[in-house]
């Protein structure tokens, strides 16, 4: 079991590293585009399109890693007044809802990717990218999120994790 959890964490780390590389590449290419467009009147035609695709990929590749590290937005104004038992229930419910959402992303993302691949669909734009190559990250990210939410649920269930709220300052 521990080996599987380490493999899963490594998968999250690799996906987050990929998202980071995409973000850096996108930032550099946008800066180059602005410089070339306004400085030399010679824009790079593919930068906007690749940046759009990169935003999708960054979101889905980084989501599970961000969740694991507590980086998602959390409103704890009410949570600070709840009992430990109620906090545990909140943890269980939020993990179950997150897992269900991730499962929906996984299933529908896989169906859409498979359908686009079978139909030979492509984005009729400047670089004509096959659609499945753009959206395959949705089921991949959904799978990573599903595993992360399932692990959180198990940790709340076995009381290995506290949902706890940040104390007000």
């Amino acid at each position: 079991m521990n080996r599987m959890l380490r493999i899963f964490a490594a998968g999250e780390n690799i996906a987050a590293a990929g998202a980071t590389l995409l973000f850096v590449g996108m930032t550099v290419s946008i800066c180059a585009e602005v410089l070339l467009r306004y400085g030399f009147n010679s824009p790079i035609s593919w930068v906007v399109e690749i940046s759009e695709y990169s935003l999708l990929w960054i979101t889905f590749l980084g989501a599970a890693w961000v969740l694991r590290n507590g980086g998602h937005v959390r409103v704890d104004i009410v949570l600070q007044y709840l009992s430990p038992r109620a906090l545990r229930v909140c943890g269980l419910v939020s993990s179950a809802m997150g897992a269900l959402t991730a499962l929906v992303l996984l299933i529908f993302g896989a169906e859409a990717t498979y359908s686009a691949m079978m139909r030979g669909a492509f984005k009729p734009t400047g670089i004509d990218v096959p659609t499945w190559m753009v959206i395959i990250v949705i089921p991949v990210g959904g799978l990573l999120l599903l595993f992360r939410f399932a692990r959180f649920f198990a940790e709340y269930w076995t009381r290995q994790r506290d949902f706890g709220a940040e104390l007000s300052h």
Side-chain angles (χ1 to χ4, degrees):
M1 181 67 157
N2 281 338
R3 182 169 187 241
M4 186 175 85
L5 294 176
R6 281 194 309 270
I7 290 170
F8 172 67
E12 288 175 331
N13 291 339
I14 290 167
T20 302
L21 289 174
L22 280 171
F23 184 77
V24 169
M26 185 177 73
T27 302
V28 169
S29 66
I30 289 172
C31 289
E33 160 69 7
V34 170
L35 176 66
L36 290 172
R37 177 181 297 272
Y38 295 109
F40 301 99
N41 198 26
S42 181
I44 306 170
S45 62
W46 50 264
V47 169
V48 173
E49 185 175 355
I50 294 298
S51 295
E52 291 171 354
Y53 301 154
S54 293
L55 287 172
L56 176 72
W57 277 69
I58 290 166
T59 300
F60 280 96
L61 289 178
W65 183 88
V66 171
L67 179 64
R68 179 181 82 192
N69 291 291
H72 282 278
V73 174
R74 187 171 143 159
V75 180
D76 56 5
I77 193 167
V78 174
L79 298 179
Q80 62 187 337
Y81 299 107
L82 297 179
S83 69
R85 182 170 185 240
L87 287 171
R88 180 173 176 254
V89 170
C90 285
L92 289 167
V93 169
S94 67
S95 295
M97 289 172 48
L100 181 62
T101 302
L103 183 63
V104 169
L105 288 169
L106 172 62
I107 291 170
F108 285 103
E111 287 177 0
T113 302
Y114 180 75
S115 173
M117 191 182 300
M118 291 298 105
R119 289 183 291 119
F122 66 95
K123 299 285 185 186
T125 57
I127 58 177
D128 293 334
V129 177
T131 302
W132 72 267
M133 292 177 83
V134 175
I135 63 174
I136 194 168
V137 74
I138 297 170
V140 170
L143 181 64
L144 290 171
L145 273 173
L146 177 61
F147 284 147
R148 177 52 54 192
F149 277 119
R151 181 166 181 193
F152 276 9
F153 185 88
E155 289 174 356
Y156 290 129
W157 185 261
T158 60
R159 292 183 168 83
Q160 294 174 348
R161 174 181 290 274
D162 291 325
F163 194 67
E166 296 290 323
L167 298 175
S168 59
H169 304 304

